[in-house]
Amino acid sequence: MACYQRAGRAALMPVGGAAAAAATSLFLGRRTSAAASREVHRAAGPQLHQAAQQALATFPRAGQPRRLASSIAKEAEGATAGKTGGGFVAWYEGHLHARPVATKAVTGAILWGVGDCVAQVVPHFFFDEESKEGEPKKEFKYDLPRTGRAVTFGFVIHAPLSHVHYNFLEWMTVKGGFTGLSIPVFKTIMEQFVYWSWFSNSLYHGAMGAMQGMTPTQCYDRIADVLWETQVAQWGFWIPVQLLNFQFVPVRHQLNVVLLTSIVWTALLSAWYPPQEEEKDEAVVKKENEGHA
């Protein structure tokens, strides 16, 4: 039975990842494309208005050209006036354009916090009814410091470095002359197998250990123990996600797709691995910490 469960999980990981990435990619791709079009009109509107005014001044005594220039000027004014709408997406795009790193850091902090909340709450609802007979129901206690560590990691470390990473990937792609479908393939290979996934996963486990009060040696041992398993699990889920992400989403929003999809990834892991297993892992870590003391 356990073999079938493992096989089911392995099969569902890429499917679930692709589905989540497709949904977020489609949403962000369409909405940000529309926002980009509005940005083009926003930039072109004042220039068109100025050109029309110059044309109007050029023909002060000619009736038809003057009326034509007036019509163009009014149309330009209408286009400029109609650009102020757009709601949250336009507001977010404006901040992303003006302050990309700060905007991504705040976004990362929020979504990392949501992801950790999902990781804590989902097991409670999924497995709270499955306690053994005769055992009292375990009371749910939310670990707020754990969420604080996740928010700090997303704000201070992950989002700023990811901003550099995705722009560096884009730079390598342009320099390499990749086009068409070779772009997402190249980016996914570089990210998942060459440098980023190894670095980011090591950084995550090390930073979380440090914020929990572990020594450098304990952080290193933690990374050595879990890095390979993390990589294997990540490849099964994130390769289809990133192929879709790199193909359909603008560079400035690729981190957002990863963060949104991470919430689904966290929910799946929390549902697949019951709290009992997590408690066992915590006991092992505690015993290891006592051994280093």
Side-chain angles (χ1 to χ4, degrees):
M1 188 65 178
C3 180
Y4 288 114
Q5 289 178 346
R6 286 194 297 269
R9 292 170 184 172
L12 282 173
M13 278 198 300
V15 175
T24 52
S25 300
L26 183 63
F27 173 77
L28 287 175
R30 285 183 176 179
R31 298 301 296 273
T32 55
S33 296
S37 299
R38 287 194 298 271
E39 188 67 28
V40 170
H41 288 297
R42 181 181 292 110
Q47 296 178 1
L48 181 60
H49 179 69
Q50 183 180 4
Q53 291 291 351
Q54 291 176 354
L56 185 63
T58 305
F59 305 100
R61 297 179 181 176
Q64 186 64 26
R66 185 181 178 87
R67 285 193 297 271
L68 178 60
S70 298
S71 176
I72 294 175
K74 289 180 180 178
E75 185 176 346
E77 288 176 354
T80 306
K83 66 180 174 35
T84 56
F88 173 78
V89 174
W91 174 84
Y92 185 83
E93 283 284 330
H95 283 278
L96 193 61
H97 177 74
R99 295 171 290 275
V101 177
T103 304
K104 290 178 181 179
V106 173
T107 305
I110 294 171
L111 293 180
W112 269 91
V114 172
D116 185 76
C117 179
V118 169
Q120 295 191 52
V121 172
V122 166
H124 172 69
F125 286 103
F126 269 76
F127 302 103
D128 192 53
E129 302 295 334
E130 297 182 7
S131 56
K132 295 180 181 179
E133 293 183 5
E135 292 185 0
K137 239 184 207 183
K138 187 177 179 182
E139 183 181 355
F140 174 70
K141 185 177 180 181
Y142 190 82
D143 189 350
L144 190 58
R146 170 177 153 172
T147 302
R149 291 192 293 269
V151 170
T152 301
F153 179 78
F155 181 80
V156 177
I157 301 175
H158 183 260
L161 289 178
S162 295
H163 172 78
V164 176
H165 159 62
Y166 287 112
N167 283 281
F168 177 61
L169 269 184
E170 184 69 12
W171 177 83
M172 286 194 295
T173 303
V174 173
K175 284 292 184 181
F178 294 94
T179 58
L181 292 177
S182 64
I183 293 175
V185 172
F186 169 75
K187 287 185 174 182
T188 302
I189 290 174
M190 292 297 296
E191 180 187 73
Q192 296 296 319
F193 297 104
V194 177
Y195 76 99
W196 178 249
S197 66
W198 302 93
F199 171 74
S200 62
N201 285 329
S202 300
L203 184 63
Y204 170 77
H205 291 299
M208 288 299 169
M211 284 188 281
Q212 288 177 286
M214 293 183 179
T215 65
T217 302
Q218 290 173 326
C219 291
Y220 176 83
D221 291 341
R222 176 178 180 172
I223 294 170
D225 288 340
V226 301
L227 181 59
W228 177 249
E229 293 181 1
T230 304
Q231 289 294 124
V232 173
Q234 173 170 305
W235 290 332
F237 182 86
W238 285 106
I239 286 177
V241 169
Q242 292 298 68
L243 285 172
L244 292 170
N245 189 16
F246 292 137
Q247 177 66 21
F248 297 110
V249 179
V251 175
R252 65 188 183 278
H253 286 292
Q254 287 172 359
L255 173 60
N256 291 340
V257 171
V258 169
L259 292 171
L260 288 170
T261 311
S262 293
I263 298 175
V264 179
W265 169 243
T266 303
L268 289 174
L269 287 180
S270 302
W272 285 341
Y273 297 99
Q276 290 81 2
E277 297 181 20
E278 294 179 359
E279 289 170 4
K280 181 180 178 181
D281 293 339
E282 290 174 1
V284 172
V285 173
K286 184 177 180 182
K287 183 178 180 181
E288 181 182 314
N289 292 342
E290 291 173 352
H292 285 285

